[in-house]
Amino acid sequence: MLGFCRAGTALALILLNALVLIAAADEELIFSDHFLVQLHEGTTEDAHQLALEHGFGSARKLPFGEGLFHFYPREIPKTRRKRSLQQHRRLAKDHRVKSVFPQEGFGRQKRGYREISNIDVNMSDPLFTKQWYLINTGQADGTPGLDLNVAEAWNMGFTGKGVTIAIMDDGIDYLHPDLAFNYNAEASFDFSSNDPYPYPRYTDDWFNSHGTRCAGEVSAVSNNNICGVGVAYNSKVAGIRMLDQPFMTDIIEASSISHMPQVIDIYSASWGPTDDGKTVDGPRELTLQAMADGVNKGRGGKGSIYVWASGDGGSYDDCNCDGYASSMWTISINSAINDGRTALYDESCSSTLASTFSNGRKRNPEAGVATTDLYGNCTLRHSGTSAAAPEAAGVFALALEANPNLTWRDLQHLTVLTSKRNKLHDEVHQWRRNGVGLEFNHLFGYGVLDAGGMVKLAREWKTVPERFHCVAGSVQEIHKIQSGSKLVLSVTTDVCQGKDNFVRYLEHVQAVITVNASRRGDLNINMTSPMGTKSILLSRRPRDDDAKVGFDKWPFMTTHTWGEDPRGAWLLEVGFQGEAPQSGVLKEWTLMLHGTQSAPYIDQVVRDYQSKLAMSKKEELEEELDEAVERSLKSLLSKSN
């Protein structure tokens, strides 16, 4: 492990437990011509010269760590199955080089690249009236009122001005007339070609339209009679091209996530490990370090905002097996369709924080997401959780304009408190309340984002208290698991009471688990908090036949216990689902609790409660979610007194 963090810090503890290096044992490794090189000393020019001497195209200084450079090839590399040992050895022997780390190649998949219909779009007509996810009046067989409530935020004067959102994808058509005015060239870069021009590579099937479509959802210019309108139509959009290559490397991901963190406010990612229902994968070490640096140092110390699409694997997959979507440092966004149901491709998991919208389930040609497309075109065909994540990034841009002092954690708290059930529903996963009254759903998180509600609360928001991390307990003994019965384990904790890292009000909870099974896909893991909230940490994945790797210190995460008192007994239930009998062994369960020592929102809840009490004398309080939020805040207030 590279020594980028100081031993003993909370960050080092998180990185140690969150480190994800899992790959299927029977998969062949792919090796690239990219190298992470650490020099004893030297400037970027010295590194460039050294790279040329050893046959590379050039070198680029990395913003994380000291003396670190990315040595990249002259051309787009081809896939290889063997390491370039000779090149590695030559570099390692050079007296100017301290260490060399060849970069493994791995797959990353765009989410939601699918066609809804083959309808021809009339390019001369604005698409705003077809953007039902902005203002839903029942277009395309949708449910009126089921939208992001952006109109309320816009009417309050918030349009994303002064906020920059980076689209980490396959490039952006920054010459598009609906994007050019809002394009931030300074904050853009092409990490696939190592130049400042992240223009998409042409293909006959327009496969590289993904990033351009996402960009239009966020920052398409308003009132110019071209395509539609972005959620934050006065925000700036940056293009980070990093997906269009034969494979991904840790350096490229880390470089993208850490690109210009003092200029870029929000990073939107609509990609991740393959959504095939059998992959368990996530960020490698450099990317984890870059994320940690982002939330700790980005935006002048307030923290970079990472928005992640939760995945398109449907009921065959579980987004807690995706180390990006299930990270505490990202805001994981699922999607709903225009009548309030879940999309057939939506994954469910306990780490999802909220939802936005994708397309309609019916074959209505106008039920997709209307946005910009390559070469100055418009489209009605964007869909998937790919479409959901940029919409969330746009809503967060409105909140950041309303209050530029919001931290990365403030935005997560605002998401929990202002997202609403609205008319979202699913036949399998019902809405439930946690121990402090917050309503959540295993598919939709805390509900659909409400731009108007978030902006109103953000304007007078006070930064939440300092965050602490407590290793609440650990079970290290080997326990057998058999079909037909459940393994039930318990950890009773005082959450580090009496220590500096005491946790009293929960934010994120991680269950770091090592388990092997005769068929990994049949495993089912649930965890119940002391206040009785049950989180489904892992659902059955019928396509996952793994019998070798299992889960090795995998950090399953839940947001469903947000605001709860973590003191007491936590229960873990592990069993099998499926027809064939299976067996397994659980080797470790470590419970990690993250939260605050004092109750957030104390001043806010007093104002809100008094205001709502006064309003109740004139009219009834708002509907279901408002009542749920009020109950949760009153509960937090009473527990703090």
Side-chain angles (χ1 to χ4, degrees):
M1 209 172 154
L2 299 178
F4 296 154
C5 358
R6 296 174 183 168
T9 64
L11 176 58
L13 179 64
I14 298 169
L15 282 173
L16 180 63
N17 284 280
L19 185 58
V20 176
L21 291 171
I22 295 183
D26 56 351
E27 288 184 3
E28 284 191 277
L29 292 178
I30 297 173
F31 300 108
S32 74
D33 294 319
H34 296 258
F35 285 78
L36 171 64
V37 179
Q38 188 170 27
L39 302 184
H40 290 288
E41 58 184 17
T43 63
T44 300
E45 184 57 38
D46 295 330
H48 170 71
Q49 184 59 41
L50 179 62
L52 293 179
E53 292 175 16
H54 285 272
F56 292 90
S58 187
R60 181 170 50 82
K61 193 176 190 314
L62 299 176
F64 40 86
E66 295 183 2
L68 293 177
F69 293 87
H70 175 195
F71 280 37
Y72 54 86
R74 298 180 189 277
E75 299 176 351
I76 293 179
K78 298 179 180 179
T79 298
R80 290 187 291 103
R81 299 294 178 182
K82 293 183 178 180
R83 292 186 186 275
S84 180
L85 292 176
Q86 190 175 5
Q87 191 176 31
H88 184 185
R89 288 167 181 163
R90 284 201 310 267
L91 259 177
K93 289 181 179 179
D94 195 297
H95 69 278
R96 294 164 288 186
V97 174
K98 184 176 181 180
S99 53
V100 179
F101 303 92
Q103 290 290 288
E104 174 195 340
F106 45 85
R108 288 294 175 262
Q109 188 178 67
K110 304 173 193 178
R111 287 184 167 147
Y113 184 78
R114 62 185 77 223
E115 296 293 338
I116 297 174
S117 74
N118 295 318
I119 188 173
D120 290 324
V121 178
N122 186 338
M123 303 297 180
S124 64
D125 295 333
L127 301 183
F128 176 67
T129 57
K130 304 182 188 304
Q131 292 180 283
W132 53 267
Y133 53 92
L134 299 181
I135 301 175
N136 195 336
T137 59
Q139 312 97 306
D141 303 316
T143 299
L146 183 60
D147 54 45
L148 296 173
N149 191 25
V150 294
E152 184 175 13
W154 293 345
N155 289 336
M156 294 168 65
F158 299 110
T159 57
K161 189 174 183 179
V163 180
T164 293
I165 302 106
I167 305 297
M168 300 189 296
D169 214 286
D170 55 15
I172 289 181
D173 180 0
Y174 46 78
L175 302 178
H176 195 294
D178 211 17
L179 295 174
F181 182 78
N182 283 336
Y183 179 65
N184 188 333
E186 175 198 8
S188 299
F189 198 80
D190 187 332
F191 288 101
S192 292
S193 299
N194 288 289
D195 61 56
Y197 310 106
Y199 199 83
R201 178 176 58 87
Y202 174 79
T203 62
D204 288 337
D205 61 359
W206 285 23
F207 181 69
N208 291 320
S209 62
H210 200 251
T212 300
R213 293 178 175 187
C214 292
E217 290 181 88
V218 175
S219 300
V221 177
S222 67
N223 297 316
N224 62 353
N225 295 316
I226 303 170
C227 297
V229 176
V231 173
Y233 56 78
N234 277 328
S235 64
K236 295 297 182 182
V237 64
I240 296 180
R241 181 170 175 260
M242 42 82 75
L243 280 185
D244 184 25
Q245 53 207 0
F247 48 77
M248 183 56 64
T249 67
D250 198 12
I251 284 183
I252 292 176
E253 281 191 353
S255 298
S256 302
I257 284 169
S258 61
H259 182 63
M260 302 197 74
Q262 306 310 325
V263 176
I264 295 171
D265 300 290
I266 302 168
Y267 299 78
S268 179
S270 293
W271 51 268
T274 307
D275 294 319
D276 56 8
K278 55 187 178 182
T279 297
V280 178
D281 198 3
R284 271 57 169 184
E285 187 171 1
L286 294 177
T287 303
L288 283 169
Q289 181 65 60
M291 280 187 177
D293 285 350
V295 297
N296 282 286
K297 302 173 185 176
R299 297 176 54 242
K302 295 185 289 291
S304 301
I305 312 301
Y306 297 113
V307 184
W308 226 275
S310 61
D312 289 341
S315 60
Y316 295 104
D317 212 344
D318 187 301
C319 40
N320 248 349
C321 294
D322 175 343
Y324 301 87
S326 65
S327 169
M328 299 181 296
W329 300 324
T330 68
I331 300 178
S332 180
I333 299 294
N334 205 351
S335 71
I337 60 176
N338 62 349
D339 64 3
R341 291 180 294 168
T342 175
L344 294 176
Y345 45 76
D346 281 343
E347 296 180 32
S348 61
C349 66
S350 58
S351 56
T352 297
L353 204 62
S355 299
T356 55
F357 299 100
S358 51
N359 53 280
R361 193 178 289 182
K362 296 180 180 178
R363 295 186 61 82
N364 189 311
E366 296 184 356
V369 171
T371 183
T372 51
D373 210 349
L374 289 177
Y375 319 124
N377 289 291
C378 314
T379 184
L380 290 170
R381 305 175 186 176
H382 195 35
S383 67
T385 53
S386 279
E391 291 171 18
V395 172
F396 298 147
L398 301 178
L400 286 184
E401 182 189 5
N403 185 349
N405 293 319
L406 295 174
T407 67
W408 69 279
R409 288 175 52 234
D410 289 333
L411 261 180
Q412 294 206 18
H413 280 270
L414 285 168
T415 298
V416 170
L417 294 178
T418 63
S419 296
K420 58 187 179 183
R421 176 177 179 174
N422 200 311
K423 298 175 178 66
L424 301 183
H425 60 95
D426 180 73
E427 292 82 3
V428 177
H429 298 291
Q430 303 301 311
W431 288 87
R432 297 182 289 143
R433 298 188 190 278
N434 72 6
V436 292
L438 290 170
E439 196 172 26
F440 69 93
N441 184 284
H442 187 63
L443 264 166
F444 301 120
Y446 285 94
V448 63
L449 291 179
D450 180 341
M454 182 174 286
V455 163
K456 284 192 290 187
L457 194 54
R459 285 187 303 179
E460 299 181 358
W461 185 262
K462 290 188 177 180
T463 299
V464 292
E466 184 180 356
R467 186 171 188 252
F468 296 92
H469 321 280
C470 171
V471 179
S474 185
V475 175
Q476 299 287 342
E477 299 85 7
I478 293 177
H479 294 270
K480 293 183 179 180
I481 316 162
Q482 297 288 340
S483 291
S485 62
K486 285 187 178 180
L487 171 65
V488 181
L489 300 174
S490 176
V491 165
T492 300
T493 178
D494 64 357
V495 288
C496 303
Q497 181 82 44
K499 300 178 181 178
D500 291 342
N501 59 329
F502 170 58
V503 174
R504 177 64 178 78
Y505 299 94
L506 285 176
E507 292 176 1
H508 307 89
V509 175
Q510 290 175 304
V512 182
I513 293 174
T514 298
V515 61
N516 293 89
S518 54
R519 191 176 190 279
R520 184 173 63 186
D522 285 355
L523 276 170
N524 177 250
I525 305 176
N526 298 319
M527 186 169 66
T528 304
S529 73
M531 296 189 76
T533 302
K534 185 176 183 178
S535 297
I536 305 171
L537 299 184
L538 178 66
S539 301
R540 182 173 184 261
R541 301 201 306 163
R543 294 176 177 173
D544 185 357
D545 294 324
D546 172 75
K548 299 177 181 178
V549 178
F551 295 95
D552 183 13
K553 294 186 181 297
W554 188 264
F556 293 96
M557 197 265 279
T558 179
T559 61
H560 295 168
T561 56
W562 202 278
E564 289 190 1
D565 182 349
R567 292 175 293 185
W570 290 78
L571 298 180
L572 188 78
E573 298 176 84
V574 185
F576 289 106
Q577 292 180 325
E579 297 179 0
Q582 306 293 343
S583 62
V585 175
L586 185 138
K587 300 176 181 177
E588 177 191 0
W589 166 39
T590 298
L591 181 64
M592 298 185 67
L593 306 175
H594 310 268
T596 61
Q597 295 176 356
S598 56
Y601 334 123
I602 293 301
D603 293 337
Q604 189 70 45
V605 70
V606 171
R607 288 196 300 270
D608 286 357
Y609 181 60
Q610 289 174 342
S611 174
K612 288 182 178 181
L613 191 63
M615 285 293 292
S616 67
K617 297 176 182 179
K618 301 177 182 179
E619 59 185 10
E620 293 184 358
L621 298 179
E622 296 288 346
E623 294 183 359
E624 292 182 358
L625 184 73
D626 291 327
E627 293 173 356
V629 169
E630 181 179 329
R631 278 192 293 272
S632 75
L633 294 180
K634 287 164 65 178
S635 176
L636 286 172
L637 179 60
S638 65
K639 290 176 183 295
S640 67
N641 290 335

